[in-house]
Amino acid sequence: MNLKETCAIVGVGFSEFGKKVPKSTMTLTLEGCKRAIEDAGLTKDDVDGLLLVLPSQEGERHGWVCRTCSHLGISSTFSAGLDIGGATPIAMVQMATMAINAGMCNTVVCCYGWQNSPMGIPLSMPPGLDFTAPYGDLAALPFKAQVARRHMHLFGTTSRQMGAVAVTFRRHACMNPQAQMYEKGPITIEDHQNSRMIVEPLRLLDNAPITDSGGAVVVTSAERARHLKHRPVYISGMGQAHSGEFMRPWRDPRYPEGTFEGGKAAEIAFGMAGVRHKDIDVAQFYDGFTILVIIELEAYGFCKPGEGGSFVEEGRLELGGELPSNTAGGLLSEGHLMGMGHIAEAVRQLRGECEERQVKDAEVAFVTGYGGSPHEYPISFSYSTLILTR
Amino acid sequence: MVGKFEGFEIPKPIPALTEDTKPYWEGCARHELLIQHCQDCGHFRFPPSGLCPKCMSTNTEWVAVSGKGQVYSWTIFHYVYHPAYAKDIPYNVAIVQLNEGPLLHTNIVECNNEDIYIGMPVEVIFEDVNDEISLPKFRPLSK
Ligand SMILES: [Zn+2]
């Protein structure tokens, strides 16, 4: 059964967001839900499904999704809390599409909330870091620095090429007044090269900012979507891939050592949507760190393995380039909106709401999520993709 | 997690032994690097687990490996993620691939940070943390 264009995204919304927002994880979540439901022109009584990203910074607190449902005053017939890291927002849209087609519900809110320093939750050492933390490695960035070093060694990728990712997405954020880095203005490659080292070879500007935020998208059947406020944005293709290839001794021969095997996530989505790479008008790549964009371009077949650095450096991701990407600024410059921001920006582009940063006549969007288990052994990766059409 | 912690010292995190990892850390305490070896397909696996990810066999033996390998990738920390490491900055964290195949996080010791390179031959040494825990670290292979 091909689910192409059986469902659509009809609402997107975010809480107030920024480096420090003094609101709880739950309140940020609820504000995102409220704005997404309002954007869809619906009321909470129209919603009968709720999916959310399990907020890991809150610890192992069971029943989070049920409490969120109660806070929203929604009676759901389909709910779940999911966790595949930054790949989760896209995975929720996929699961909503499946559940609606299965007849379990008709309108699903997919949401998250993220408060970096929640009150009442002691900052403690997460369990399971026994093979990394005793060596001083205890955050998301350092493993990407290992990946970057290996990529530089094998393919000659440079720090300036990673800088080109940051510079491009900042330029886009400067056309997005909502972006966390909007006020900071544009940056140059030299600014990137002069930014301080965090974990060598990655610098401050290779890294997304810290963001307190909540957000949601509303998914419903294509039939219902055609009678709502906005032009429907159809879910045309979706895919996932999960593996631990960086640290295991055997590989899919199509992906040389040093690159990532996320390709299946795109192959499945492209196959379902019946589109090809050249059909993509606008892309939103999960960009918690600059190096991720380079390896995603390779893994998803936009260029050959090892060529991601030069692909970016040639300006192809810029507005006006052949693959305008992260047009709202991405995680790197719009803010760390968990990848939900990427889905929302694709929706805004396909609705034609983006004004100065609008990609002309955008009809097909490609969106990626990336997560998994970056610092707990066995180190593992999750990839998720969406192809959206209008 | 950067901040002032005057007046008291926050210790570096140490591994907690689990059902899966106890033999590994007990080996380290005796200064032996024990890795699980699949008795059906011969695959050496890390981290410790209940079955072989290559053939799903549960027939496993712990074997002492050579402790020799190569630097697979490496990084230098300039940022304090945990106050206990503040005084070590800048310090290295590397991934070493053992000659038997597995990759593991570690620190390269007895070596300047700027002298580390991918492919550098290394050998294990053990740093005693307390009576129960010794951390395997790696130093340049002595010829
Ligand atoms: Zn085996």
Side-chain angles (χ1 to χ4, degrees):
Chain A
M1 180 170 55
N2 189 335
L3 302 186
K4 178 184 176 182
E5 295 180 3
T6 55
C7 289
I9 297 175
V10 294
V12 301
F14 289 87
S15 69
E16 171 194 358
F17 65 85
K19 185 173 180 181
K20 188 77 201 132
V21 179
K23 294 179 179 176
S24 71
T25 307
M26 183 61 85
T27 291
L28 293 166
T29 307
L30 301 177
E31 286 186 6
C33 293
K34 174 182 161 69
R35 294 194 183 161
I37 293 167
E38 286 171 355
D39 181 60
L42 294 170
T43 72
K44 70 183 181 67
D45 297 330
D46 298 311
V47 176
D48 55 6
L50 186 74
L51 296 172
L52 58 73
V53 182
L54 285 175
S56 60
Q57 83 284 17
E58 294 277 349
E60 295 271 332
R61 295 176 68 189
H62 299 293
W64 191 274
V65 68
C66 312
R67 290 194 296 281
T68 306
C69 246
S70 292
H71 280 301
L72 288 167
I74 284 173
S75 299
S76 163
T77 59
F78 180 75
S79 287
L82 308 182
D83 169 31
I84 48 171
T88 315
I90 283 176
M92 294 194 299
V93 170
Q94 298 172 347
M95 191 184 270
T97 302
M98 292 184 267
I100 291 165
N101 276 283
M104 294 193 69
C105 50
N106 194 25
T107 300
V108 182
V109 170
C110 306
C111 64
Y112 81 98
W114 191 266
Q115 167 54 256
N116 287 281
S117 312
M119 289 175 69
I121 306 288
L123 279 179
S124 62
M125 182 73 172
L129 304 189
D130 294 340
F131 298 113
T132 51
Y135 300 103
D137 184 341
L138 13 63
L141 177 136
F143 188 73
K144 277 52 166 206
Q146 304 277 9
V147 169
R149 176 85 70 189
R150 190 80 193 158
H151 207 275
M152 293 164 93
H153 170 75
L154 289 168
F155 304 114
T157 303
T158 65
S159 175
R160 293 179 76 89
Q161 290 174 334
M162 291 187 257
V165 176
V167 169
T168 302
F169 296 171
R170 178 64 65 86
R171 191 173 299 145
H172 297 168
C174 291
M175 296 177 229
N176 174 13
Q178 306 304 315
Q180 195 168 332
M181 295 303 177
Y182 177 77
E183 301 288 343
K184 298 220 172 193
I187 53 171
T188 63
I189 294 286
E190 277 60 44
D191 292 333
H192 172 270
Q193 292 294 294
N194 292 329
S195 69
R196 64 192 166 94
M197 280 291 183
I198 302 297
V199 177
E200 205 177 318
L202 296 187
R203 301 172 178 279
L204 179 68
L205 291 176
D206 287 309
N207 197 3
I210 286 171
T211 307
D212 293 339
S213 66
V217 300
V218 182
V219 179
T220 193
S221 66
E223 170 57 28
R224 185 175 205 182
R226 286 190 269 273
H227 302 99
L228 295 179
K229 194 164 121 193
H230 295 287
R231 180 211 300 253
V233 170
Y234 295 104
I235 296 152
S236 285
M238 47 199 208
Q240 292 186 15
H242 306 265
S243 72
E245 69 272 13
F246 192 82
M247 294 188 72
R248 73 162 136 70
W250 66 89
R251 301 190 63 84
D252 179 332
R254 290 174 300 167
Y255 302 98
E257 197 265 327
T259 65
F260 283 47
E261 294 180 5
K264 276 195 197 115
E267 282 168 30
I268 296 167
F270 278 106
M272 176 175 165
V275 302
R276 308 175 70 150
H277 291 80
K278 64 174 174 43
D279 299 321
I280 303 298
D281 297 313
V282 59
Q284 313 293 333
F285 291 102
Y286 192 90
D287 58 338
F289 308 95
T290 52
I291 184 67
L292 287 180
V293 176
I294 290 171
I295 60 178
E296 286 177 81
L297 286 165
E298 297 170 359
Y300 297 142
F302 289 94
C303 62
K304 292 201 177 77
E307 294 181 355
S310 51
F311 189 95
V312 178
E313 204 168 34
E314 289 159 8
R316 299 192 211 197
L317 302 189
E318 293 186 29
L319 276 162
E322 74 178 63
L323 185 65
S325 298
N326 298 37
T327 45
L331 297 166
L332 287 166
S333 276
E334 185 186 26
H336 203 303
L337 305 179
M338 280 289 287
M340 193 69 87
H342 287 47
I343 304 172
E345 175 65 4
V347 168
R348 290 188 293 252
Q349 285 284 350
L350 296 178
R351 286 180 182 171
E353 294 177 347
C354 290
E355 299 182 350
E356 191 189 352
R357 63 178 199 275
Q358 179 65 44
V359 174
K360 194 166 170 285
D361 301 324
E363 289 182 359
V364 185
F366 181 67
V367 193
T368 77
Y370 173 90
S373 179
H375 42 227
E376 181 169 343
Y377 269 58
I379 287 170
S380 310
F381 308 114
S382 294
Y383 310 85
S384 56
T385 68
L386 276 182
I387 293 171
L388 302 176
T389 52
R390 69 173 202 206
Chain B
M1 265 198 254
V2 195
K4 288 185 179 170
F5 296 89
E6 287 164 19
F8 63 100
E9 197 167 324
I10 293 180
K12 291 180 178 176
I14 56 170
L17 275 54
T18 70
E19 291 85 346
D20 290 335
T21 64
K22 192 163 175 275
Y24 175 80
W25 293 115
E26 286 176 346
C28 289
R30 297 191 306 270
H31 292 199
E32 277 188 331
L33 190 60
L34 300 185
I35 299 287
Q36 286 177 305
H37 181 241
C38 175
Q39 291 179 287
D40 283 310
C41 79
H43 177 57
F44 286 93
R45 69 176 181 266
F46 187 83
S49 80
L51 56 76
C52 171
K54 203 162 188 181
C55 76
M56 294 198 90
S57 166
T58 54
N59 292 324
T60 302
E61 59 182 345
W62 287 92
V63 300
V65 295
S66 67
K68 295 185 171 62
Q70 291 191 353
V71 172
Y72 182 80
S73 196
W74 59 283
T75 60
I76 307 294
F77 280 59
H78 295 268
Y79 182 81
V80 181
Y81 285 103
H82 188 289
Y85 294 94
K87 63 183 186 316
D88 297 341
I89 287 207
Y91 61 91
N92 73 72
V93 176
I95 297 172
V96 162
Q97 181 159 32
L98 299 174
N99 287 347
E100 291 80 5
L103 294 109
L104 39 91
H105 274 66
T106 191
N107 304 126
I108 305 297
V109 298
E110 301 178 26
C111 179
N112 294 323
N113 286 341
E114 54 269 29
D115 294 334
I116 303 170
Y117 61 96
I118 289 178
M120 181 182 193
V122 292
E123 63 185 354
V124 73
I125 59 123
F126 291 89
E127 263 187 30
D128 297 333
V129 178
N130 59 33
D131 289 346
E132 271 195 338
I133 295 294
S134 299
L135 293 175
K137 299 193 173 184
F138 288 79
R139 68 181 176 197
L141 183 63
S142 47
K143 288 274 159 65

